[in-house]
Amino acid sequence: MVFSSLTFLFGFLPLVLICYFIIPNLTYRNLVLLVFSLAFYAWGEPKYIILMLISIIGNYVLALFVDFYNKKGNQKLKVLFFLLDVLLNLGFLGYFKYTDFMIGNINALFGSNIPLMKIALPIGISFYTFQIFSYVIDVYKGSVKVQKNPLTLGTYIALFPQLIAGPIVRYETVEEELSNRKETFHDFAEGIRRFLIGLGKKVIISNQVGLIADTIFALEGESLGLSLAWVGILAYTFQIYFDFSGYSDMAIGLGRMFGFNFLENFNYPYIANSITDFWRRWHISLSTWFRDYVYIPLGGNRVSKLRWYFNIFAVWFLTGMWHGATWNYILWGLYFCVILVLEKMFLLKVLNKCPGVLRHIYALLLIIFGWVIFRCEDLTQISYYLNALLGANGNNTIRAFYNISVAHLWPYLVLAAIGSTPLMGKILKWMNKNAFTGILYDLFLLGVFFVSVMFLVNNSFNPFIYFRF
Amino acid sequence: MQRRNLLFSLIFSLGITLVGTYIVLIKPPTHRIAMELRNAQVFIEPTVENVQEGYFQTSVEDAFSDQFIKRSIFIEMYYRFEHFLYNLSLPNKEDYTLVKIGNDVFTFPVNEDYLTGYPLIKNEGQKKGVERFIDHVNEMAEAHPNLHFYVFKPFRINESNWFDEDNGFTSYGQIYRNMMIEGFSDEVIYSDNQPETFEEYKEEYYKTDPHWNAYGTFEGYKDILKMFENHYGEMVPYEPVSEFCFENFNFYGQYGRNSAYLTSCDKFCDLNYDLPEYKTYVNGKEERYDRKEEFKNNQMEEFYWNYIYSVYHGNDEAEVIFETNQNTGRNLLVFVDSYSSPIKHLIAAHFDKTYYIDPRINPGFDFESYLVENEITDVMWMGFYGSLYTDESYIFDDEKGE
């Protein structure tokens, strides 16, 4: 189930709100959240509920052992159970996400013909596995207390607002709130507001600019010229941002409605003035996760230069792999690895001497080229699209836009361009502070909700295709 | 602020709860969605099996959409907004620049309510198809010198060259047409319905559908009679005695539906003729071919979810026979497609028996024996370019498909 569906908005959400707020006791409220979260998870793929339950129970038990032997001072057994726990989580992630990738590579490398297993990927496995890791590693390090209540741990792992597409909420962030939180009308209303902003971002902007991107990326041969290629990649640039940040907004908003305060995941990444800056603003929960659980444990930058390069490489190789089990994602990770190394070596110093506009253009261009690698699945497609972006396929006439049914969607691109700057955020924040403008703000958000519902209802429209003329 | 938060929270929470409850528990289920010609998904009971298979979940998601309060109004609002965006984006309002608005559906600023497919452009396969069709009919005519052969092609807007200049291409519709005019032997009479201007087209064809309307059909009927006159002398067409239009429903044709261009619709009109009495046999059974009576008696409810053009005039059928008792000594065999539906009864009024065969859904049709068994005197192919140029069903020799 996704948040941007009528089933969630008019079925699941009212039900969970009623069941949650009708119960006064926090323990039972957690139980309600757990049950609904499991139902939410099972909705798409019921059989994987078992996987989730094994994950919860396995991590609960193994973390207890880690904590137990830690307190006993038995380092060997502590490490053993920690490794077992890591193995359990990596095993699931590796099996479900990377098996076919490995088989494909072995086949390509050795000319073998091992059949692919075509394993369906459990929804959100990359996100919740990393969340579990944050708990397990922090318990191992002793920076959080082990959770002795399996229901509470289950609630954390399966918590539906952030279960499927993040943000990656670390256990330490919600540790206190899991057992001691207070829901208020203020938080509830602010949560709804944030949720509606996210819904609008996803349904009204991302889905519409996505239509432009999908149409243009599907073009073949000479039909993809310079101008269409740029419109296509710009549309995708906006699509991925509004899709992902919209989902994060919805997750943060939902969390707040239930009394949780998740950390921000995006901070206007497209106003970044370097790639280093971009990665401080884009998918913050992932980049900080890699920083704290991979980069720093590997030694960070307090090591030899060669080792430091290796550490950066490892982080970005894993970042690429985390996004998907295909080579283009790894290439995408390594692309940023190279740029970040160059920036750390000398480029940032050069950039700092340039005018701000140039720095933004530099960052935006590199981000956009990065999205080409991210969007295209193989090297042939990547090089075809990059060539088109550089004008190798010639240019398109204005008629080409009209002939591919995306010309009328240009206002969404304008909306997206404005929405990806802090301007709208600042205006809305200001409106929310005052009594009168606050009411206008709420009316605006209810309007966004109405329009989003209109778009969602329309998604089911199936015009009749009469095929026998 | 506190009061505002309370009010906002209540409006949102109560809103989604009441709407959700109404849709799932209170609202009488919608069973048919007329506009989309399909059954609506209703909420079903969960079982272990359907939950495991995921069918229950999918059906709930679909049901939420299909059963949503005032769904059609939401969809109409969406398309009105799309329509507004199209208008906003259209280039020079005076030209024919094609703007894609759906699955193989285009509109153009000079009159946005008219819809079209993409114009015929140079295509070797199509060119070979035209040549093959011409050769085939010529061969048939040569092989049956005692029969009269005709080919009639109704028009389709994307055959025109009206879009060429403003879109910077050369369309091939008129080139293929000229091949047809020049290619048939003297034994084959060719004619077509060819609006010379867009204004003429507007008179004779629907806005949202590729087919001809009642007035275009009448023009086509007169053109066809002129072809017959080559062999039978003057044939006077029956003139319409009255006309009527359905006021209580809008006609959304194929282009309209395929593009969901809901703000554009056609008025559905027909012409009444005082024709000689006839019987019809549909696929061997004596029954009425059209459903005009039902429509005129306002008994259309059961047809709402069908393609009105087809239901009203008569569906595509493998074989439809019109029998009049006029002793003309003429029996006509016509290979047809959907353009024939509104004209069948008019042509039939000039023959003893008229046999309409739709080869697309009559794959076992045996041309030679049919001629003999039914004492056919005249043979006609009548179809739009897609049927005649590229559909091999309209070729009756053993080599097709090779």
Side-chain angles (χ1 to χ4, degrees), chain A residues 345-366:
Chain A
M345 284 168 71
F346 68 93
L347 213 50
L348 272 183
K349 286 177 195 154
V350 178
L351 283 170
N352 285 337
K353 288 173 189 163
C354 296
V357 181
L358 275 185
R359 297 208 307 258
H360 286 306
I361 293 171
Y362 152 83
L364 257 184
L365 281 178
L366 289 178

Side-chain angles (χ1 to χ4, degrees), chain B residues 133-295:
Chain B
F133 177 72
I134 293 168
D135 289 346
H136 176 63
V137 178
N138 285 343
E139 283 162 19
M140 287 292 202
E142 199 181 331
H144 301 91
N146 52 332
L147 302 181
H148 306 132
F149 282 82
Y150 315 89
V151 174
F152 185 83
K153 183 173 67 63
F155 181 71
R156 208 173 245 219
I157 185 168
N158 50 334
E159 283 184 274
S160 79
N161 52 13
W162 303 330
F163 308 100
D164 289 17
E165 196 182 326
D166 291 334
N167 289 278
F169 54 60
T170 304
S171 65
Y172 269 59
Q174 294 308 301
I175 294 171
Y176 296 142
R177 180 188 176 226
N178 288 337
M179 284 171 66
M180 298 274 276
I181 292 170
E182 291 160 12
F184 288 113
S185 64
D186 293 342
E187 283 72 39
V188 179
I189 299 165
Y190 172 81
S191 182
D192 53 27
N193 179 255
Q194 178 67 38
E196 295 301 326
T197 62
F198 185 53
E199 291 309 310
E200 196 182 323
Y201 175 82
K202 285 183 190 173
E203 299 285 319
E204 297 176 8
Y205 286 80
Y206 292 108
K207 291 191 292 188
T208 64
D209 194 80
H211 294 106
W212 46 17
N213 61 24
Y215 314 107
T217 305
F218 181 58
E219 292 304 315
Y221 162 57
K222 288 190 288 189
D223 292 337
I224 288 170
L225 286 198
K226 281 201 184 98
M227 295 201 298
F228 296 146
E229 283 177 356
N230 282 283
H231 295 295
Y232 298 114
E234 190 185 1
M235 292 179 94
V236 182
Y238 290 92
E239 292 289 331
V241 290
S242 62
E243 70 173 321
F244 67 92
C245 293
F246 290 97
E247 301 296 340
N248 52 351
F249 72 90
N250 295 323
F251 173 53
Y252 292 103
Q254 290 165 22
Y255 290 144
R257 287 179 188 280
N258 290 358
S259 62
Y261 212 55
L262 303 186
T263 46
S264 178
C265 64
D266 278 288
K267 207 163 207 187
F268 197 77
C269 297
D270 199 9
L271 298 170
N272 288 325
Y273 298 87
D274 202 0
L275 298 176
E277 283 195 4
Y278 58 83
K279 283 182 192 168
T280 51
Y281 301 85
V282 178
N283 298 323
K285 277 189 194 166
E286 185 183 344
E287 59 183 54
R288 270 180 40 238
Y289 174 59
D290 61 55
R291 292 287 176 273
K292 294 181 182 184
E293 285 308 311
E294 286 86 342
F295 274 79

Side-chain angles (χ1 to χ4, degrees), chain A residues 61-109:
Chain A
V61 173
L62 290 168
L64 281 179
F65 275 113
V66 170
D67 183 61
F68 176 75
Y69 287 112
N70 189 32
K71 282 175 183 157
K72 286 268 174 195
N74 189 336
Q75 284 302 306
K76 273 187 187 168
L77 282 176
K78 175 189 162 189
V79 172
L80 177 71
F81 280 103
F82 172 68
L83 288 177
L84 273 177
D85 206 347
V86 170
L87 205 66
L88 171 81
N89 294 308
L90 275 186
F92 280 145
L93 186 63
Y95 175 75
F96 285 103
K97 192 163 180 177
Y98 299 106
T99 306
D100 276 351
F101 177 64
M102 296 301 285
I103 293 173
N105 282 312
I106 290 168
N107 284 345
L109 212 60

Side-chain angles (χ1 to χ4, degrees), chain A residues 1-3 8 12 33-56 92-93 96 120-129 131-132 154 157-165 247, chain B residues 51 57 61:
Chain A
M1 195 186 302
V2 291
F3 299 152
F8 179 84
F12 186 89
L33 279 183
L34 176 62
V35 170
F36 273 93
S37 296
L38 291 175
F40 181 85
Y41 188 71
W43 188 259
E45 198 67 70
K47 64 182 176 191
Y48 284 148
I49 195 76
I50 295 163
L51 182 73
M52 175 60 79
L53 290 172
I54 293 171
S55 249
I56 293 171
F92 280 145
L93 186 63
F96 285 103
L121 189 67
I123 304 159
I125 190 167
S126 305
F127 284 96
Y128 72 71
T129 303
Q131 290 181 177
I132 294 170
I157 293 174
L159 194 61
F160 76 86
Q162 37 76 23
L163 176 66
I164 287 181
Y247 199 94
Chain B
V51 170
Q57 293 90 315
E61 302 258 356

Side-chain angles (χ1 to χ4, degrees), chain A residues 147-361:
Chain A
Q147 181 51 258
K148 291 188 176 153
N149 184 340
L151 292 181
T152 308
L153 185 70
T155 306
Y156 162 67
I157 293 174
L159 194 61
F160 76 86
Q162 37 76 23
L163 176 66
I164 287 181
I168 299 166
V169 178
R170 294 193 203 179
Y171 182 74
E172 63 178 0
T173 310
V174 290
E175 185 183 12
E176 175 64 20
E177 288 167 345
L178 278 166
S179 47
N180 185 21
R181 65 179 180 276
K182 196 165 164 53
E183 302 85 353
T184 63
F185 267 118
H186 176 74
D187 277 348
F188 190 78
E190 284 299 312
I192 295 171
R193 290 183 185 113
R194 187 68 186 267
F195 177 81
L196 293 180
I197 287 172
L199 185 70
K201 275 180 166 179
K202 164 72 183 145
V203 177
I204 301 173
I205 300 180
S206 173
N207 287 0
Q208 299 305 305
V209 293
L211 286 176
I212 303 178
D214 289 348
T215 311
I216 293 178
F217 271 87
L219 293 176
E220 290 172 352
E222 288 174 3
S223 45
L224 184 70
L226 179 80
S227 44
L228 270 184
W230 276 100
V231 173
I233 194 60
L234 277 176
Y236 184 68
T237 300
F238 291 130
Q239 180 195 4
I240 195 162
Y241 169 62
F242 282 94
D243 188 282
F244 199 3
S245 76
Y247 199 94
S248 289
D249 286 338
M250 287 190 271
I252 291 167
L254 284 169
R256 197 150 177 204
M257 286 161 76
F258 295 106
F260 292 97
N261 285 285
F262 302 156
L263 298 179
E264 291 297 331
N265 208 20
F266 290 88
N267 182 22
Y268 303 105
Y270 294 150
I271 62 161
N273 53 26
S274 67
I275 296 303
T276 308
D277 188 26
F278 171 71
W279 279 103
R280 288 190 195 117
R281 295 167 176 275
W282 179 273
H283 203 173
I284 300 164
S285 63
L286 181 73
S287 40
T288 51
W289 193 98
F290 272 112
R291 183 194 65 201
D292 295 345
Y293 295 110
V294 180
Y295 182 68
I296 291 173
L298 283 174
N301 58 1
R302 293 176 184 176
V303 286
S304 69
K305 217 161 200 182
L306 204 63
R307 176 63 198 231
W308 179 48
Y309 290 146
F310 171 78
N311 291 349
I312 296 174
F313 168 82
V315 164
W316 289 98
F317 181 82
L318 292 175
T319 302
M321 268 201 96
W322 181 88
H323 279 85
T326 49
W327 277 105
N328 66 307
Y329 291 115
I330 296 171
L331 191 65
W332 178 75
L334 296 179
Y335 166 81
F336 281 113
C337 171
V338 171
I339 300 169
L340 286 167
V341 167
L342 291 175
E343 284 193 355
K344 284 180 203 308
M345 284 168 71
F346 68 93
L347 213 50
L348 272 183
K349 286 177 195 154
V350 178
L351 283 170
N352 285 337
K353 288 173 189 163
C354 296
V357 181
L358 275 185
R359 297 208 307 258
H360 286 306
I361 293 171

